[in-house]
Amino acid sequence: GAVVSQHPSWVICKSGTSVKIECRSLDFQATTMFWYRQFPKQSLMLMATSNEGSKATYEQGVEKDKFLINHASLTLSTLTVTSAHPEDSSFYICSARGRIQQPQHFGDGTRLSIL
Amino acid sequence: GQQVMQIPQYQHVQEGEDFTTYCNSSTTLSNIQWYKQRPGGHPVFLIQLVKSGEVKKQKRLTFQFGEAKKNSSLHITATQTTDVGTYFCVLERDYGGSQGNLIFGKGTKLSVKP
């Protein structure tokens, strides 16, 4: 089946640090990639959608200057949490999809802890 | 905006008992998807239902889509400890340029006592 690789799987860093998370589709071309955030005991909340070669579309309430998304190729999208603070600590998950009718395939997620 | 209500939030069962989670939407859905997330893991796609009244089975799992395409259910027969996890019903946003974006329900967390 389709595989999506997400790296790193966990990050612990100091407040004010910027953190980059990579999401790669390993065996298919991902026209669209999605970034979600999941707080403990809560559901997944979509943060933004990115299509290869174009600017990401952010959900309401998500700061685009805080969460920088780049989707430079059909197999790679990155999320950079800039100047991270403790309230940004969460589980960040990416997903990738080939065509609009196909299901999304999720990466393993990144646990981000900001001290 | 579009949203989906899912109940119950938690379900504790004895191994071998059946389990059902329900999903309701205030609007008619083009389709509904179900995902499973194991503790500490990522969501895994289970199934997509498209047709009114559709019923699909995957071994001990039975998925139903209501006649009005506003509700859905997932039923697990004779639960096993491997069924532990959170089950999400998920709908696709179907307006404007956001077609295909997923909206997750709050999920039902299933625990199974051996």
Side-chain angles (χ1 to χ4, degrees), chain A residues 7-28:
Chain A
H7 178 82
S9 55
W10 57 271
V11 179
I12 302 174
C13 58
K14 294 180 180 178
S15 183
T17 306
S18 291
V19 178
K20 179 185 280 190
I21 303 170
E22 291 188 350
C23 182
R24 294 179 184 272
S25 58
L26 299 184
D27 55 356
F28 69 102

Side-chain angles (χ1 to χ4, degrees), chain B residues 8-13 17-20 108-112:
Chain B
Q9 191 174 358
Y10 300 96
Q11 186 77 60
H12 310 283
V13 300
E17 291 181 341
D18 292 355
F19 159 77
T20 306
T108 296
K109 186 175 182 179
L110 172 65
S111 60
V112 179

Side-chain angles (χ1 to χ4, degrees), chain A residues 8-14 17-21 37-39 66-67 79-82 84-92 109-115:
Chain A
S9 55
W10 57 271
V11 179
I12 302 174
C13 58
K14 294 180 180 178
T17 306
S18 291
V19 178
K20 179 185 280 190
I21 303 170
R37 182 166 51 184
Q38 185 177 32
F39 291 107
K66 173 79 172 176
F67 300 98
L79 166 67
T80 302
V81 184
T82 61
H85 292 285
E87 58 267 27
D88 298 321
S89 298
S90 187
F91 188 49
Y92 292 86
T110 298
R111 296 200 178 277
L112 176 62
S113 294
I114 308 298
L115 304 178

Side-chain angles (χ1 to χ4, degrees), chain A residues 38 43 59 97 104 107-108, chain B residues 37 42 88 93 100-102 105:
Chain A
Q38 185 177 32
S43 188
E59 292 295 295
R97 182 187 67 198
Q104 294 183 21
D108 287 337
Chain B
Q37 185 178 23
H42 63 274
F88 294 99
R93 195 178 293 167
N101 288 5
L102 299 183

Side-chain angles (χ1 to χ4, degrees), chain B residues 33-92:
Chain B
Q33 301 176 27
W34 286 90
Y35 285 75
K36 177 184 178 181
Q37 185 178 23
R38 292 182 184 274
H42 63 274
V44 174
F45 174 79
L46 295 177
I47 209 159
Q48 177 173 284
L49 304 173
V50 180
K51 299 177 182 178
S52 169
E54 188 170 17
V55 178
K56 287 189 176 180
K57 291 190 176 185
Q58 291 179 353
K59 297 183 180 179
R60 294 177 295 103
L61 277 62
T62 302
F63 303 85
Q64 290 188 311
F65 201 11
E67 294 289 341
K69 299 181 73 173
K70 289 185 175 182
N71 58 75
S72 181
S73 65
L74 158 60
H75 179 82
I76 302 179
T77 304
T79 55
Q80 301 175 359
T81 53
T82 52
D83 296 325
V84 165
T86 301
Y87 293 85
F88 294 99
C89 63
V90 182
L91 59 90
E92 282 194 47

